[in-house]
Amino acid sequence: MKFCPNCHLTYDDSANVCGQCGGPLSVIPQQVQQQVAYDPTDHTAEFSAQDISDNKVFAMLPYLMSFIGVIIALLAAPSSPFTMFHVRQGLKVAVVEILVGIVGAIIPIIGWFALGICMIILLVVEIICFFRVCKGQAKEAPIVKNLGFLK
Ligand SMILES: [Zn+2]
């Protein structure tokens, strides 16, 4: 991948000059490319900085308090798209917890063991999401995002 230092546009390796300004292109190092790479699960750019800074506290609640946090967030910041994004993500994690809980509980021993592992994984997912809210990000919850409901 190459980029134009003037226009910050990216081109593939076959390009020699910038289509915008005609200037020479620089090669982007491999590590930088991975950071620049578009992340389809990162929706941070869709929300305003004002919304994020005003409603961060409410956006954290679904991850901290599960369904209770979802309800508080819905009541406290219903007009905040940033909060609603995290309400959907938090709800997703909470629903998965319940489903895992039900399935795990009805299968003796193996189910209980699997349940324990799943709950630890889901807790880690919630912690990751919580810190992302702290940083003002709106990324889909890891692992849980692959389940195709509540986009
Ligand atoms: Zn250019």
Side-chain angles (χ1 to χ4, degrees):
M1 206 191 238
K2 290 179 174 180
F3 85 109
C4 170
N6 292 322
C7 314
H8 301 281
L9 294 170
T10 54
Y11 296 91
D12 56 49
D13 290 326
S14 59
N16 290 315
V17 292
C18 172
Q20 188 88 3
C21 68
L25 299 178
S26 306
V27 177
I28 304 175
Q30 198 67 39
Q31 303 123 285
V32 181
Q33 272 189 42
Q34 281 161 0
Q35 286 172 18
V36 171
Y38 175 67
D39 179 357
T41 67
D42 185 352
H43 301 274
T44 310
E46 295 165 24
F47 304 97
S48 72
Q50 183 73 38
D51 181 13
I52 292 172
S53 66
D54 286 355
N55 298 299
K56 236 184 212 181
V57 179
F58 304 120
M60 290 170 185
L61 295 177
Y63 303 123
L64 294 176
M65 299 158 75
S66 193
F67 285 110
I68 299 165
V70 167
I71 293 163
I72 297 171
L74 282 170
L75 294 173
S79 58
S80 159
F82 183 68
T83 306
M84 290 308 113
F85 175 85
H86 288 290
V87 162
R88 286 197 302 277
Q89 300 303 313
L91 209 51
K92 216 168 172 177
V93 178
V95 168
V96 172
E97 276 173 350
I98 288 174
L99 293 177
V100 167
I102 293 167
V103 174
I106 54 177
I107 307 165
I109 305 161
I110 299 168
W112 302 335
F113 186 68
L115 177 64
I117 294 170
C118 288
M119 285 303 174
I120 292 167
I121 294 169
L122 289 166
L123 185 67
V124 172
V125 167
E126 284 173 323
I127 294 167
I128 292 169
C129 291
F130 172 75
F131 281 109
R132 283 175 178 175
V133 177
C134 294
K135 287 191 275 182
Q137 294 175 333
K139 288 187 188 175
E140 287 172 30
I143 304 166
V144 178
K145 74 184 173 204
N146 297 319
L147 306 165
F149 66 99
L150 278 173
K151 270 286 168 191

